[in-house]
Amino acid sequence: MRASRLTQFPISPVLRETHGLKGRLTFFLLLAGALVFTFVSLGHDIRASGTTLQPGWPMAILVVALLVALSFEFINGFHDTANAVATVIYTNALPPRFAVAWSGVWNFLGVLFSSGAVAFAIVALLPLDLLLEVDSSAGLAMIFALLIASILWNLGTWWLGLPVSSSHTLIGSIVGIGLAHGAMAGHLGLSGSAWSQLLTVGYALLLSPVVGFFSAFVLLRAMSASLRNRTLFHAPEGRTPPPWRIRGLLIVTCTGVSFAHGSNDGQKGIGLIMLILIATVPLAFAVDRAHSPEQTRHLLAVPQASHAQLQRTGSLAPGANPQQVLLAYQQDQHAGPDLLPSLGAVVGDIATRLERHGEMARVPSEEVQELRNDLYLSVETIRLLDRSEQNIDLETWSNLQALRSGGEQTIRFIPVWVKVAVALALGLGTLVGWRRIVTTVGEGIGKAPLTYAQGAAAQLVAMLTIGAADGFGLPVSTTHVLSSGVAGTMAANGSGLQWPTIRNMLLAWVLTLPAAIGLAAGLYWLFMKVL
């Protein structure tokens, strides 16, 4: 049963509005413009790198993968961005069309000014050996399994009107791929570094709804005790807008949630698109080739110094492969005697390549992926060493941290057009999918319709919670935070909760992780057999 059918209230007038011919035409023009912008920008970057991508199988894979990734963000707009406008639309603070457009603008700005920390926190959950072979058939199987599993579950729950988290779905898909990849390699479970990162992300996803519920509960109780205007605590009647002060608060918090959503959720699509670009066009996107000669010289000086210092820690055992030693450390986090000499050898390879070519833009295509992998391995090894107790002198440690910072800037860059494309996909998804989620948030969670004060409290809590998570580089769910905030206000108001809807939402929340894990694992296995 769809969650929207559980409501016992007359349908709000704003929820009856439909797009006319002009609105549909505008949507398709915007969609066409967004796709043209994306692929023209992609072509410009490919040509600027000196890469020639001939028509055929590689180009088809790139185009299809990008379209699937943008479709994921488009569907994300059904779920998460719709939550940002749910309260302002339902309480008549803004007309639906204006609210969606306004939210889209601030989503766009949120994505544009995002740091990228969340994007790469999500990517770090994937098996490291797959990330180092992202340009192989296994890398492509990983990308397509990840995207298709996420899209299938998101579409199914949206059709039921259930505000399920796209973040939750994506992380479940990543876990499924990690488990399937490990099983096919002969071992079960996740590697140590992936498991550690998963725990951090899992805590953020689990705690944020709890924070949303209790914070909104306390805030509404405080508003009820301090505000004398009781109109704020009544449900909207017809198209009557709320009093101007609460209307202003609703609009401000809608703006804040939209911006925070763009800067947090939008980064997940950015991380996926960067994986696709690195896998299919490594010469253009594996490293930041826009580095100036001065930046390259600065980056070169750090590994040269680090290499010389690490050589003093010992020598590699005969026949040891330094990359494999570092990769094994990522999986078991056991620092053996070969660890620091192996790190020194990999850092030395980085210095040799940079010194030989002088500029990042001159690194030939056959060496770009190797340079990226060496930088990635070095950065991740130094990050883990930061948590361990290694006997490293202060000067060496200072140089390693400088290498980590410079390496992250080189391999974790995001072209502006990628951010713009993701922002457009989010906004366009909201245009066509907001009504189902708005109905569930406004009428399906509580036994009474959402009031002006409840909408303001839930929005304010969501804005602050998501903004704080983004500041710490943690992926959280706009859907879970806002829905739990609305439920908290319903409990605080004494209006009660519609347990059939809550039960369905909780069931979807509980099933999302195993469903996404199963879908992604099955698709990864299938694609590995086919590709």
Side-chain angles (χ1 to χ4, degrees):
M1 180 181 292
R2 296 182 188 175
S4 57
R5 289 180 182 173
L6 296 173
T7 180
Q8 55 187 334
F9 319 115
I11 298 176
S12 171
V14 297
L15 299 180
R16 294 196 190 102
E17 292 187 9
T18 58
H19 295 290
L21 179 60
K22 185 178 179 180
R24 293 189 182 94
L25 181 61
T26 301
F27 168 79
F28 284 111
L29 287 174
L30 287 172
L31 179 61
L35 291 174
V36 169
F37 167 80
T38 299
F39 286 103
V40 167
S41 300
L42 171 63
H44 176 270
D45 277 6
I46 291 175
R47 288 192 300 272
S49 70
T51 305
T52 54
L53 193 62
Q54 300 296 331
W57 185 240
M59 181 180 287
I61 290 176
L62 172 59
V63 171
V64 171
L66 273 179
L67 288 175
V68 174
L70 291 172
S71 298
F72 169 78
E73 283 304 318
F74 185 82
I75 295 166
N76 191 357
F78 291 177
H79 277 281
D80 289 22
T81 313
N83 284 277
V85 297
T87 56
V88 290
I89 289 176
Y90 190 79
T91 58
N92 301 314
L94 288 174
R97 295 173 189 174
F98 184 85
V100 169
W102 180 257
S103 177
V105 169
W106 287 97
N107 262 288
F108 175 86
L109 293 174
V111 176
L112 199 60
F113 289 102
S114 60
S115 64
V118 174
F120 295 110
I122 289 288
V123 170
L125 293 172
L126 290 162
L128 184 60
D129 54 338
L130 269 180
L131 290 175
L132 297 180
E133 299 176 2
V134 72
D135 58 334
S136 66
S137 59
L140 292 175
M142 170 187 72
I143 291 169
F144 279 109
L146 182 64
L147 290 169
I148 293 173
S150 300
I151 286 174
L152 288 175
W153 186 252
N154 279 349
L155 273 178
T157 52
W158 166 81
W159 181 253
L160 296 174
L162 296 172
V164 170
S165 167
S166 298
S167 305
H168 201 173
T169 307
L170 180 61
I171 289 168
S173 300
I174 289 173
V175 172
I177 288 169
L179 292 174
H181 178 68
M184 294 177 75
H187 59 84
L188 296 177
L190 301 174
S191 67
S193 58
W195 180 249
S196 174
Q197 182 68 13
L198 179 62
L199 286 177
T200 301
V201 171
Y203 286 141
L205 284 173
L206 286 172
L207 290 177
S208 55
V210 177
V211 170
F213 182 92
F214 287 105
S215 299
F217 181 97
V218 171
L219 180 56
L220 189 71
R221 283 292 178 89
M223 292 172 67
S224 180
S226 59
L227 298 177
R228 295 182 179 180
N229 187 351
R230 306 320 294 175
T231 306
L232 302 178
F233 300 91
H234 295 291
E237 295 182 4
R239 296 177 181 270
T240 305
W244 69 270
R245 289 181 181 176
I246 205 74
R247 186 178 192 181
L249 179 60
L250 282 162
I251 293 171
V252 168
T253 52
C254 167
T255 303
V257 170
S258 299
F259 184 86
H261 173 260
S263 65
N264 195 286
D265 270 47
Q267 291 192 56
K268 297 152 194 171
I270 289 172
L272 294 175
I273 289 177
M274 290 309 301
L275 276 180
I276 292 167
L277 296 176
I278 292 167
T280 52
V281 202
L283 182 60
F285 299 103
V287 295
D288 187 359
R289 298 173 67 84
H291 269 347
S292 67
E294 182 180 350
Q295 288 175 304
T296 305
R297 284 194 298 270
H298 176 71
L299 181 62
L300 170 61
V302 176
Q304 282 178 331
S306 301
H307 174 59
Q309 291 161 340
L310 288 168
Q311 278 186 320
R312 297 196 294 266
T313 63
S315 58
L316 277 172
N321 183 322
Q323 282 84 5
Q324 287 301 319
V325 172
L326 298 189
L327 190 58
Y329 177 58
Q330 295 293 321
Q331 293 171 341
D332 58 25
Q333 299 185 30
H334 173 69
D338 278 353
L339 178 61
L340 293 181
S342 296
L343 179 58
V346 173
V347 167
D349 288 344
I350 295 170
T352 300
R353 285 197 178 92
L354 292 177
E355 187 175 22
R356 183 166 60 243
H357 301 297
E359 293 182 35
M360 199 68 70
R362 293 181 179 176
V363 179
S365 57
E366 61 271 15
E367 294 186 32
V368 166
Q369 195 66 272
E370 293 178 3
L371 176 61
R372 180 230 175 217
N373 288 351
D374 283 348
L375 282 168
Y376 203 106
L377 263 178
S378 301
V379 165
E380 290 301 304
T381 300
I382 296 167
R383 181 180 63 81
L384 285 182
L385 284 172
D386 204 10
R387 303 176 183 176
S388 64
E389 296 182 2
Q390 295 294 318
N391 188 21
I392 303 174
D393 64 86
L394 184 60
E395 183 182 1
T396 302
W397 187 243
S398 176
N399 277 322
L400 288 177
Q401 291 300 322
L403 175 60
R404 175 184 175 183
S405 176
E408 286 179 340
Q409 291 176 11
T410 304
I411 61 176
R412 293 179 174 175
F413 74 103
I414 303 168
V416 174
W417 68 264
V418 173
K419 292 184 176 183
V420 174
V422 168
L424 291 172
L426 275 174
L428 290 171
T430 310
L431 287 175
V432 299
W434 61 268
R435 189 172 285 101
R436 289 179 187 272
I437 303 302
V438 170
T439 302
T440 299
V441 170
E443 300 180 348
I445 295 177
K447 291 184 178 179
L450 190 75
T451 67
Y452 301 125
Q454 287 174 317
Q459 283 274 78
L460 182 59
V461 166
M463 179 183 75
L464 296 176
T465 304
I466 300 166
D470 188 47
F472 287 103
L474 296 172
V476 296
S477 164
T478 303
T479 301
H480 289 165
V481 174
L482 184 67
S483 298
S484 62
V486 171
T489 64
M490 293 292 177
N493 203 38
S495 54
L497 300 172
Q498 287 199 53
W499 287 109
T501 303
I502 299 297
R503 182 197 62 217
N504 283 1
M505 289 173 60
L506 288 174
L507 184 62
W509 190 87
V510 169
L511 290 178
T512 289
L513 199 61
I517 289 172
L519 278 170
L523 288 169
Y524 178 75
W525 178 85
L526 177 64
F527 291 150
M528 284 295 291
K529 297 296 183 182
V530 172
L531 294 176

